[in-house]
Amino acid sequence: MWVYVKQLEYPVRVSRPDLEMAKNIFAQFGGPDSEFSASWRYLTQAWIMPSGVAKSIVIDIGTEELAHLEMVGTMIDLLLGDATPEQMDKAGLGAHYVEHGRSLFLHDAAGVPWTSSYVQAHDDPITNLRENMAAEQKARTTYEHLICKTNDEQVRKTLAWLREREVVHFQRFGEALDRVQERMSRRPHF
Ligand SMILES: [Fe+2]
C-alpha cells in the first residue's frame, strides 16, 4: 500500500515566522473543514462503496489528505519558529501555550478542539459522496480565506497548491458518484 519516500507531497517553505498566520492555519489542521476531518471522513466511509474503483478513489483521497495534514503541520511549525510565551500570548496563542507549549494540537483557528461530530459516515454511498463533494468545496473556500490573510509568497504558494488539490478531489468524487449511480441504477432499489 505504501512506498516510503522521505519528502512532503509538495515542498513547504515560509519566508519568516508569523504567529498570527500559524494560528489561522490551525483551521486546516483541526477545524471542521480541515485535512484531518477529510482524512477520517473518507477513511471511515470507503468500505461501503459498491465498486472497487469507487472504494479506491475514496481511500486514495483519504490517505492523500493525511499527506496534506503533514504539510499543514510543517507549515504551522515553521511559522511558529522559536516563539516565546510572550509572543504566543500576543498572537492569541496564549491558551494553546499553556496546554500544549509549542506542540501542535488538533484544534481550529479559534482553539476549539477537533471532534468526530465534524464527520459522518452512512451506509448510502451516494449520500457519502455528495457530502464529500461539499466538504471539498468548503476546504477550498477555507484555503482561499487563508491565502487572503498572508502576503508571504512562500506560504501563499503552498496554500494555493493545497487549494488546487481540493478542486481535484471534488472532481474525483464526482467521477465516483457517476460510477456509483450508474451501477446502482442497474439493480433494484429498496
Ligand atoms: Fe481534499
Side-chain angles (χ1 to χ4, degrees), residues 106-117:
L106 287 169
H107 60 65
D108 68 9
V112 178
W114 188 84
T115 160
S116 60
S117 62

Side-chain angles (χ1 to χ4, degrees), residues 35 38 42 61 64-65 68 135-136 139 162 165-167 169-170 173:
E35 300 290 357
Y42 310 150
I61 296 176
E64 189 187 352
E65 306 291 15
H68 297 171
E136 293 296 329
L162 288 163
R165 294 307 297 162
E166 308 301 5
V167 176
H169 293 168
F170 173 80
F173 281 132

Side-chain angles (χ1 to χ4, degrees), residues 14 35-36 46 51 92 95 111 121:
V14 308
E35 300 290 357
F36 189 80
S51 79

Side-chain angles (χ1 to χ4, degrees):
M1 178 189 163
W2 292 98
V3 175
Y4 189 73
V5 179
K6 185 68 194 113
Q7 63 186 43
L8 296 172
E9 194 184 356
Y10 181 86
V12 173
R13 296 189 185 91
V14 308
S15 303
R16 70 199 81 82
D18 179 346
L19 272 67
E20 280 83 7
M21 197 57 199
K23 182 175 184 288
N24 292 332
I25 295 176
F26 270 108
Q28 280 295 12
F29 196 74
D33 305 318
S34 63
E35 300 290 357
F36 189 80
S37 294
S39 311
W40 296 109
R41 183 182 295 109
Y42 310 150
L43 291 173
T44 49
Q45 290 177 357
W47 319 106
I48 54 88
M49 288 294 147
S51 79
V53 172
K55 190 183 286 181
S56 291
I57 289 174
V58 179
I59 292 175
D60 287 354
I61 296 176
T63 52
E64 189 187 352
E65 306 291 15
L66 287 171
H68 297 171
L69 186 75
E70 186 183 13
M71 287 175 60
V72 169
T74 302
M75 204 162 23
I76 296 172
D77 184 59
L78 290 171
L79 288 167
L80 287 175
D82 296 321
T84 63
E86 292 73 26
Q87 287 170 324
M88 290 186 76
D89 256 349
K90 235 170 120 186
L93 286 166
H96 175 102
Y97 179 79
V98 169
E99 288 177 329
H100 313 293
R102 277 195 66 273
S103 171
L104 269 57
F105 192 70
L106 287 169
H107 60 65
D108 68 9
V112 178
W114 188 84
T115 160
S116 60
S117 62
Y118 289 159
V119 300
Q120 179 57 297
H122 268 289
D123 62 355
D124 180 337
I126 292 177
T127 301
N128 289 343
L129 289 167
R130 288 196 187 282
E131 182 197 2
N132 299 353
M133 291 174 77
E136 293 296 329
Q137 295 286 59
K138 287 186 278 183
R140 176 187 54 75
T141 305
T142 305
Y143 276 119
E144 287 166 5
H145 294 165
L146 287 170
I147 290 166
C148 289
K149 298 284 279 181
T150 179
N151 55 15
D152 182 328
E153 275 313 312
Q154 301 286 356
V155 174
R156 287 171 71 96
K157 231 194 235 176
T158 304
L159 293 172
W161 186 89
L162 288 163
R163 176 201 171 277
E164 197 53 42
R165 294 307 297 162
E166 308 301 5
V167 176
V168 173
H169 293 168
F170 173 80
Q171 291 164 343
R172 295 213 66 208
F173 281 132
E175 288 161 26
L177 180 63
D178 289 344
R179 280 174 179 273
V180 167
Q181 277 176 325
E182 205 272 322
R183 190 184 178 103
M184 291 177 87
S185 70
R186 285 192 265 123
R187 68 181 189 207
H189 281 277
F190 43 86

